[in-house]
Amino acid sequence: VICVEVLVLPVAVVFSDELDPATSQVFQAIDNFAMVCFLVDMGCRCLRQVPSEDRSHWETSAHSIFHSYAQTDMFTDLLSVVPFHLLGAAAGRGVALDGPAWQFCLDLLRFLRLGRVMQFEYFLDQARPTLHLSYMVRTVLRCTIMLILASHCFACVWVLAGEESPEQLSWLHNYFGEDIPTGNSGVFDVYCISLYFATFTLTGAGYGDVTPAHHQWFETFIAVVLMMVGGIVWAVVVASTVTVIDNVVRKDAPFRQSMDDVERVVLLQGIP
């Protein structure tokens, strides 16, 4: 449910005006279902036994369980069930919020619901006994999902930045010209180009054919933030991958060293 919400919510936020009514209703139904699941999970977390601080027994009292939950994941869980779209609409009616930066921030508030993705490692560890996942498999799976979700979120944020920029002054206009795609097929075209930008920003390739509009500080600032966050994500992925490879190689290192010693003795002794 978390992965589906991470994939669906950014698209629903960014392309709310471009999708046809039927598709929008499907996305809204998925979003509502995810929120119900999150609420049920929060209720279960308040009833689930937790280990004591010294790990000697299980806590069964409601106060201890709630205290443990409040110290760990309650904040991110609360963010995942807050209706930010309603709060943003209310704020927009109460205060005159003009300019692309304000509207972008209001739309970006809804992305805070994706905070639950930080618990993915917890669910992966919980599934380890059932799925019999080794450390190497879990690391590769975690890195793969991290790259996919980060690229997807980066792509949606980049589209959102282009949509909130003034007409004739956005990367969408620079890339597509006057014929910016619309409708469901247009959403797919724009998303693919934005995903392309997000991927080469995340990996540091930087081809340069999709760039912020000239003299557009807002898009330039968003691109800088994406590059900084993308650098951190890419560094984590590379470090995890190197650690896995190092562990695999290190297991074979004593055997390979022994074989090298045997080969050296054979050569020195002239053994055929």
Side-chain angles (χ1 to χ4, degrees):
V1 175
I2 293 176
C3 292
V4 172
E5 175 72 352
V6 172
L7 293 175
V8 169
L9 178 63
V11 176
V13 172
V14 174
F15 298 108
S16 58
D17 297 331
E18 287 79 8
L19 295 171
D20 60 53
T23 306
S24 297
Q25 290 178 2
V26 172
F27 276 62
Q28 187 62 44
I30 295 175
D31 188 44
N32 292 337
F33 174 74
M35 182 174 291
V36 171
C37 292
F38 293 160
L39 287 171
V40 172
D41 179 67
M42 289 182 65
C44 294
R45 291 289 297 271
C46 293
L47 301 174
R48 188 183 306 162
Q49 295 181 356
V50 295
S52 61
E53 293 184 0
D54 57 0
R55 304 288 176 175
S56 61
H57 63 280
W58 291 92
E59 297 285 359
T60 57
S61 66
H63 178 268
S64 299
I65 295 174
F66 183 81
H67 181 70
S68 175
Y69 183 34
Q71 289 184 324
T72 53
D73 301 322
M74 177 173 284
F75 179 71
T76 55
D77 288 354
L78 287 174
L79 286 178
S80 68
V81 296
V82 174
F84 286 106
H85 60 293
L86 299 179
L87 297 179
R93 290 194 299 267
V95 183
L97 300 176
D98 298 324
W102 282 111
Q103 187 59 46
F104 178 84
C105 291
L106 288 177
D107 291 333
L108 207 61
L109 276 177
R110 296 181 63 183
F111 281 71
L112 292 177
R113 289 185 55 190
L114 304 181
R116 274 205 172 224
V117 75
M118 292 187 296
Q119 300 179 24
F120 177 76
E121 183 72 20
Y122 166 78
F123 292 113
L124 198 61
D125 288 338
Q126 292 295 312
R128 180 181 57 182
T130 304
L131 301 178
H132 305 289
L133 299 177
S134 65
Y135 168 74
M136 183 178 67
V137 173
R138 294 200 313 275
T139 302
V140 172
L141 184 62
R142 181 176 66 249
C143 292
T144 302
I145 294 178
M146 184 185 301
L147 282 176
I148 293 174
L149 296 184
S151 299
H152 174 65
C153 291
F154 280 21
C156 291
V157 169
W158 186 238
V159 174
L160 188 62
E163 290 182 343
E164 300 300 343
S165 299
E167 293 185 4
Q168 312 297 326
L169 289 175
S170 70
W171 72 267
L172 289 170
H173 182 270
N174 285 354
Y175 190 87
F176 292 102
E178 299 294 338
D179 301 323
I180 298 178
T182 58
N184 283 0
S185 60
V187 166
F188 181 76
D189 293 340
V190 172
Y191 174 78
C192 287
I193 299 302
S194 186
L195 182 63
Y196 162 72
F197 168 84
T199 303
F200 72 59
T201 299
L202 187 63
T203 59
Y207 294 116
D209 51 346
V210 181
T211 61
H214 296 297
H215 308 295
Q216 177 53 264
W217 69 267
F218 178 66
E219 286 187 357
T220 302
F221 175 75
I222 298 302
V224 170
V225 173
L226 291 180
M227 284 186 282
M228 295 176 65
V229 177
I232 296 174
V233 173
W234 187 244
V236 171
V237 170
V238 171
S240 300
T241 305
V242 170
T243 301
V244 170
I245 296 175
D246 180 64
N247 289 336
V248 173
V249 173
R250 189 176 300 176
K251 290 180 180 179
D252 295 336
F255 173 76
R256 295 181 182 275
Q257 184 64 44
S258 299
M259 294 303 297
D260 289 342
D261 293 339
V262 171
E263 184 178 358
R264 189 178 301 109
V265 171
V266 169
L267 292 175
L268 291 175
Q269 299 297 326
I271 300 174

